[in-house]
Amino acid sequence: MLDRPPLRAPSASLDANPREPDGDAWPRTCVGLELDLEPGARPEVVLVERAAHLLAPARTAHAWSVEERRHAMRAIDQVVGVLTALRGDLLLAERDAGAWRTSGDPSFEAWRARTSRAGAGAVRSQVRQAEAAAQLPAVREAVVAGATTTAHLDALARVVAQAAPPVQAALAAPAVQAELVDAARRMDAPTFARAAARVAARLDPVAHERSHQAQRAARFLHLADTPDGTRINGLVDRMAGHRLRLALEAVSPRPAQDDDRTPEQRRADALDTLAEKVLAAPETLSGAAVRPHVSFHMTEATWAGLRALRSAAAEVDADASAFGGLEPVALDDGSPVPLSEVARALCDCELTRIVLDADGAPLDVGRTQRTYTGAQRRAVVARDRGCGWNGCAAQARWCEVHHIRWWDRDTGPTSVDNGVLLCSFHHHEVHRRDLAIRRVSAPPGDPPGTRYVFTDPTGRALSPPPPGPSRAP
């Protein structure tokens, strides 16, 4: 086995009566480690060289035992804590000395970022940790002893930096420090960050509320329509962000096995689903008592072309050749609507006929035809229980009713038997790929609910139901 000297725990304190350096030389004893220096040797150079000696044996760490690797990793984590505390002491001492002011940099952080090349963000984090360790000595000792990690120190440092001076003083009380150290021993860093924030809020609820109101005052949301799409940019307070995150998660369940969307794409789809549900909610009113809707405007020729168009599948450019020359479907502001979006909307929408004269003035408004009534939807939900795409966990309340035989293309009836529940993403996929759907019953012993087989125009099955004896209903 490798001949490695044991890693000894550092002393409890980094600055327990260190010997003053002569000139720019370091003390012979540093952070509790006896360096045994030759005369004239620089301790910091020796420290780096001895740490570098560990690299060679570490290259064969796969041959170590599990206990040896874990012991080494714990020791290294502790050494990182020691060096973080040491660096903090040096940073504060250098800042207080003021020699950096002659460099022309606007601040100590700017000087450190330039000379270390670590960048402003990393330096701010280092100084923040140094200040927190100086204000909370019990926490500092826990980091040095390896009882907690530098990630915990950084989380606490953020709370301390944002706290008012009275709260910082209260956090430094021995009892509060003991509470924080105990929490850090039991929690991971993200959970500890929230616990530390709760402690600060408990100590000064007025400041916590003031911080919340400052976040509220800074809120904004920008929606910009660009040639590449609508760009969304904004900032909300933490509570609003929490509600938004929960809402997005509610309409974006665990992805199916064939769902290759990125997390960013799934969140974008979830936001679109929320918008659709709000617009369709009976209590959502605009103006007098007319619910707001996404309106698609088209000419009679366009409507006829849509009915003749067989699909808006993956090969939409080829299939859409028959649609060439027709006026595109448009939104209220005149923006053209993609064919797959039109196909999906026509599957489950309210259709209102509005006859316009040559100048665009309305001459006649027909009645609205609702494709699926509330009673029909409830019946479909009772049968399907959720998204009909096999493996999709989307709950029924976030699903849409799709016509198995398309209502506009195949003149399929608006009936419970012709309906299937699909989440917004898979509803898009059915129309984009021009998928055919066939219903099969659940195998004996399976949970209640119906199963569906989806096939593309070539007959290839997508998302087949789980294997088992099934029969057509």
Side-chain angles (χ1 to χ4, degrees):
M1 200 58 219
L2 296 170
D3 184 14
R4 302 187 305 277
L7 287 170
R8 290 180 295 168
S11 61
S13 176
L14 296 181
D15 55 355
N17 301 319
R19 188 170 60 84
E20 290 295 326
D22 298 325
D24 56 358
W26 282 35
R28 298 291 171 176
T29 301
C30 182
V31 297
L33 299 178
E34 293 292 341
L35 297 182
D36 300 327
L37 300 177
E38 296 294 333
R42 295 179 61 88
E44 69 274 22
V45 175
V46 175
L47 188 62
V48 172
E49 289 177 347
R50 293 192 178 180
H53 285 317
L54 298 175
L55 294 177
R59 293 191 184 98
T60 61
H62 60 276
W64 299 2
S65 69
V66 173
E67 292 75 11
E68 286 176 318
R69 281 194 300 269
R70 293 179 179 177
H71 169 75
M73 287 189 291
R74 286 193 297 269
I76 289 172
D77 289 340
Q78 184 174 354
V79 170
V80 169
V82 172
L83 295 178
T84 298
L86 173 60
R87 181 182 59 194
D89 289 346
L90 297 175
L91 284 174
L92 297 184
E94 183 68 20
R95 184 186 64 182
D96 296 343
W100 59 269
R101 299 181 187 276
T102 63
S103 64
D105 294 294
S107 65
F108 171 74
E109 288 77 8
W111 170 82
R112 170 66 177 169
R114 178 178 59 82
T115 55
S116 68
R117 303 186 303 281
V123 169
R124 284 195 295 269
S125 177
Q126 294 173 8
V127 173
R128 194 166 53 230
Q129 292 177 29
E131 291 176 337
Q135 296 178 41
L136 307 174
V139 175
R140 179 180 185 275
E141 297 303 326
V143 173
V144 170
T148 186
T149 69
T150 56
H152 291 80
L153 175 61
D154 185 66
L156 182 57
R158 293 177 183 274
V159 173
V160 173
Q162 297 172 2
V167 178
Q168 293 181 355
L171 289 170
V176 177
Q177 289 192 65
E179 177 184 358
L180 292 170
V181 170
D182 179 66
R185 291 175 186 269
R186 295 181 289 102
M187 304 174 183
D188 59 30
T191 305
F192 174 70
R194 293 187 289 271
R198 289 195 299 272
V199 172
R202 183 189 73 207
L203 295 173
D204 192 349
V206 174
H208 179 64
E209 175 61 23
R210 188 164 53 245
S211 174
H212 172 67
Q213 292 302 330
Q215 293 179 18
R216 288 269 303 160
R219 70 190 184 278
F220 70 92
L221 181 66
H222 292 159
L223 296 175
D225 293 327
T226 72
D228 297 329
T230 298
R231 183 173 297 278
I232 303 173
N233 180 40
L235 177 70
V236 297
D237 64 83
R238 289 293 299 275
M239 290 303 301
H242 178 67
R243 288 190 293 269
L244 178 60
R245 185 182 300 276
L246 291 179
L248 294 177
E249 291 174 352
V251 297
S252 184
R254 176 179 55 83
Q257 186 174 1
D258 65 319
D259 190 344
D260 59 356
R261 292 174 294 171
T262 65
E264 293 79 7
Q265 289 172 328
R266 296 182 69 242
R267 282 193 293 269
D269 291 345
L271 185 62
D272 181 42
T273 299
L274 288 176
E276 289 180 337
K277 295 304 179 184
V278 169
L279 291 177
E283 62 270 20
T284 303
L285 302 178
S286 175
V290 179
R291 285 184 291 153
H293 287 78
V294 176
S295 298
F296 289 173
H297 300 263
M298 67 190 79
T299 65
E300 180 184 2
T302 299
W303 171 248
L306 282 171
R307 292 181 63 83
L309 187 63
R310 292 299 300 168
S311 72
E315 300 81 15
V316 66
D317 292 338
D319 291 340
S321 58
F323 202 71
L326 295 176
E327 188 69 21
V329 179
L331 299 176
D332 288 332
D333 62 0
S335 301
V337 180
L339 291 175
S340 61
E341 289 288 328
V342 176
R344 187 180 72 92
L346 290 178
C347 177
D348 187 13
C349 70
E350 294 181 353
L351 180 66
T352 301
R353 170 178 54 83
I354 303 178
V355 181
L356 307 178
D357 63 16
D359 296 326
L363 296 177
D364 177 66
V365 179
R367 285 175 174 247
T368 293
Q369 177 182 340
R370 184 181 297 274
T371 54
Y372 274 92
T373 65
Q376 288 175 316
R377 176 180 169 82
R378 287 191 291 273
V380 173
V381 168
R383 182 192 64 215
D384 293 348
R385 306 297 177 94
C387 179
W389 191 276
N390 297 294
C392 181
Q395 299 181 32
R397 66 178 180 274
W398 302 115
C399 292
E400 304 158 350
V401 182
H402 166 74
H403 290 73
I404 295 177
R405 290 174 52 209
W406 293 14
W407 177 70
D408 61 315
R409 186 189 68 186
D410 306 324
T411 63
T414 301
S415 65
V416 173
D417 185 65
N418 194 45
V420 54
L421 277 183
L422 293 174
C423 68
S424 177
F425 171 69
H426 287 116
H427 200 173
H428 274 283
E429 291 296 286
V430 165
H431 284 283
R432 186 177 71 86
R433 301 188 186 188
D434 191 22
L435 302 181
I437 305 176
R438 179 170 58 89
R439 183 182 298 117
V440 296
S441 59
D446 272 19
T450 316
R451 306 293 186 268
Y452 292 89
V453 176
F454 298 78
T455 54
D456 65 13
T458 68
R460 182 172 64 95
L462 301 173
S463 176
S470 299
R471 58 177 180 81

